[in-house]
Amino acid sequence: MFDKNDLKIKPIEKTETIPSNWYCDGNIFSLEKEAVFSSNWQYAGHIEEIKDRTNSFQIDIAGNPVIIFKNDENELTAFYNVCRHRGGPLNLLNSGKKTVLQCGYHGWTYKLDGQLRGMPRFNRVELFDKSEHCLTPVKTELWEGLVFVNLNNEAVPISNQISKIAEEIKPNNLEHKKHYKRVEYNIKCNWKIYVDNYLEGYHLPYVHPELCDFLDYREYKTIVSEFYSLQYSPINNKKNFYKGEGGAYYYFIYPNLMLNILPCRLQINQIIPISERETLVKFDYFYDDIETKEGLKSIKTDILMSDKIQFEDIEICEKVQKGVSSNVYKKGRLSVECETGVHHFQNLLRKDYISYSNNS
Ligand code: FES
Ligand SMILES: [Fe+2]
């Protein structure tokens, strides 16, 4: 499926981009489910959303349903959301004091540690051992108020991978932000086109001239770490409508999460592949202040600006998908000055493809 040359890791000065077929080929799209999305940390949501015991996250990771909630000891717990009877979906059920997981198909119940508890009308079944029908656990972790899951049981803790971010953004505190709104966008491009586009400020003067004005673009820089990269820019003081000072931090956490941190606000973007040419992008907006008049005014301006930028990005990404799918485009080159984030992402991808190919 791969040309060996495309998998070679080279310095940015010498490398070519990943090839066009990686953005269009259905076989590569299927392979990525295993090679990328089943082996790296995936964002499930903000801990605030499951504060209430009856709430859970129900997400899909590379075609696998997963349920995440807090157990009676207040510990974060995750299972494949797949009943051991005939694969039905589970929900948290609170009956007075006890909370259990109940299947929505035929009512089997499980304790919050995954053990099978009860099966209605199941009396004459022979050689059935309840202990062999527990739910399958999934690795989960809380970092700065954000809940992550990983289908790979051997995964390195995400807090080890991104611990420095919390230090870098101090005094901004992600854990205490309040959720304001979620917006979803369906985009007709491969998920990697959207990620590539996020990872460089090269396109700002041409695609987002207003954003260029808002940021102090001359100071825009990209810093890469092992599993994440940061694009940082000071904000042009004359244009800053946020309460508080500080710059704009655009973090990319491999493979598909973005934390856009500005004074008093956190915007989380999650990039979810739907097909080789279709992507769902979820935006979650969090702010320090979602109550005062002043706070709400800056939220309104923030969302308007963000929405405009997003539509500009969608338009260019959909056109780029057509460009890379055309007969003439095979591979490109990267700007050493402006595209180190793209280079970093594409190399992590190459590494995942290589380790997947070696193990299969
Ligand atoms: S599939 Fe869950 S109870 Fe039947
Ligand atoms: Fe953009």
Side-chain angles (χ1 to χ4, degrees):
M1 194 182 313
F2 296 114
D3 178 330
K4 277 207 171 114
N5 277 323
D6 296 336
L7 293 172
K8 282 199 181 129
I9 311 257
K10 297 180 193 166
I12 190 167
E13 294 82 357
K14 294 187 169 47
T15 195
E16 288 174 306
T17 63
I18 57 174
S20 56
N21 67 312
W22 291 20
Y23 297 104
C24 317
D25 185 335
N27 292 325
I28 298 217
F29 180 81
S30 303
L31 174 147
E32 282 171 347
K33 286 187 184 172
E34 283 290 321
V36 178
F37 291 93
S38 300
S39 59
N40 287 291
W41 288 97
Q42 292 293 295
Y43 173 67
H46 196 282
I47 192 75
E48 275 287 298
E49 297 169 71
I50 52 169
K51 199 168 58 182
D52 181 340
R53 276 305 176 62
T54 51
N55 288 349
S56 59
F57 294 123
Q58 304 209 11
I59 61 167
D60 181 287
I61 302 179
N64 295 283
V66 174
I67 184 165
I68 306 129
F69 55 88
K70 278 180 164 181
N71 69 12
D72 291 331
E73 282 73 47
N74 225 13
E75 295 157 343
L76 208 51
T77 308
F79 293 105
Y80 280 85
N81 194 359
V82 180
C83 175
R84 297 295 305 270
H85 174 218
R86 279 172 43 215
L90 308 154
N91 275 302
L92 282 178
L93 178 77
N94 191 296
S95 53
K97 273 190 179 168
K98 270 245 164 310
T99 305
V100 294
L101 288 155
Q102 185 182 50
C103 179
Y105 201 2
H106 314 95
W108 281 26
T109 54
Y110 298 83
K111 295 181 191 166
L112 297 190
D113 62 2
Q115 285 183 61
L116 180 58
R117 182 172 177 263
M119 307 87 70
R121 306 175 68 180
F122 213 66
N123 288 334
R124 295 200 306 278
V125 179
E126 295 180 14
L127 298 174
F128 182 83
D129 183 348
K130 265 185 171 180
S131 68
E132 286 173 3
H133 293 77
C134 300
L135 297 175
T136 311
V138 173
K139 218 173 162 73
T140 182
E141 195 179 328
L142 181 66
W143 175 83
E144 295 290 311
L146 311 185
V147 178
F148 289 87
V149 284
N150 199 324
L151 297 187
N152 173 11
N153 284 328
E154 312 289 305
V156 175
I158 188 152
S159 47
N160 292 11
Q161 296 179 356
I162 59 174
S163 61
K164 278 208 219 113
I165 297 180
E167 285 295 314
E168 286 165 1
I169 57 166
K170 262 182 184 166
N172 221 323
N173 181 334
L174 305 186
E175 198 173 344
H176 295 115
K177 301 255 181 284
K178 297 173 196 89
H179 189 247
Y180 183 75
K181 183 173 171 167
R182 168 170 286 183
V183 188
E184 298 188 351
Y185 305 90
N186 258 301
I187 310 179
K188 290 191 201 68
C189 73
N190 184 277
W191 69 279
K192 299 186 290 297
I193 299 252
Y194 190 89
V195 172
D196 288 342
N197 174 69
Y198 176 86
L199 288 170
E200 42 89 357
Y202 201 9
H203 69 276
L204 261 56
Y206 309 97
V207 179
H208 316 295
E210 278 176 41
L211 181 60
C212 248
D213 231 22
F214 174 76
L215 300 172
D216 190 350
Y217 185 64
R218 291 159 307 172
E219 299 293 322
Y220 198 99
K221 60 181 179 211
T222 303
I223 302 149
V224 302
S225 207
E226 194 180 351
F227 284 97
Y228 70 91
S229 62
L230 163 67
Q231 294 168 86
Y232 170 78
S233 171
I235 297 173
N236 178 350
N237 271 338
K238 286 186 204 130
K239 301 274 174 178
N240 186 8
F241 56 85
Y242 295 101
K243 211 161 77 180
E245 296 186 350
Y249 295 81
Y250 302 110
Y251 282 102
F252 169 68
I253 300 170
Y254 181 79
N256 64 333
L257 192 71
M258 296 147 186
L259 309 181
N260 303 323
I261 301 163
L262 278 91
C264 311
R265 83 95 136 128
L266 160 69
Q267 185 200 67
I268 298 181
N269 309 155
Q270 192 179 20
I271 317 310
I272 301 167
I274 303 296
S275 74
E276 63 271 28
R277 289 166 203 250
E278 201 185 347
T279 299
L280 174 70
V281 176
K282 290 185 186 171
F283 273 35
D284 264 327
Y285 288 91
F286 300 85
Y287 297 92
D288 285 349
D289 173 10
I290 57 170
E291 274 141 24
T292 70
K293 208 170 151 194
E294 194 191 349
L296 291 169
K297 194 174 155 211
S298 95
I299 289 175
K300 199 173 163 198
T301 317
D302 179 55
I303 293 180
L304 266 177
M305 184 167 89
S306 167
D307 222 34
K308 182 169 184 298
I309 296 166
Q310 175 66 349
F311 281 109
E312 291 164 351
D313 279 326
I314 291 175
E315 199 185 338
I316 194 71
C317 285
E318 292 187 343
K319 286 181 178 160
V320 169
Q321 179 70 49
K322 286 192 179 159
V324 300
S325 311
S326 71
N327 291 336
V328 291
Y329 187 87
K330 299 296 173 226
K331 280 180 233 175
R333 296 291 303 262
L334 295 170
S335 156
V336 176
E337 202 177 314
C338 305
E339 291 176 291
T340 47
V342 180
H343 179 237
H344 171 254
F345 164 61
Q346 297 195 349
N347 279 347
L348 285 172
L349 205 59
R350 287 181 172 108
K351 283 180 192 160
D352 270 350
Y353 286 8
I354 294 167
S355 68
Y356 180 77
S357 306
N358 290 344
N359 293 333
S360 59

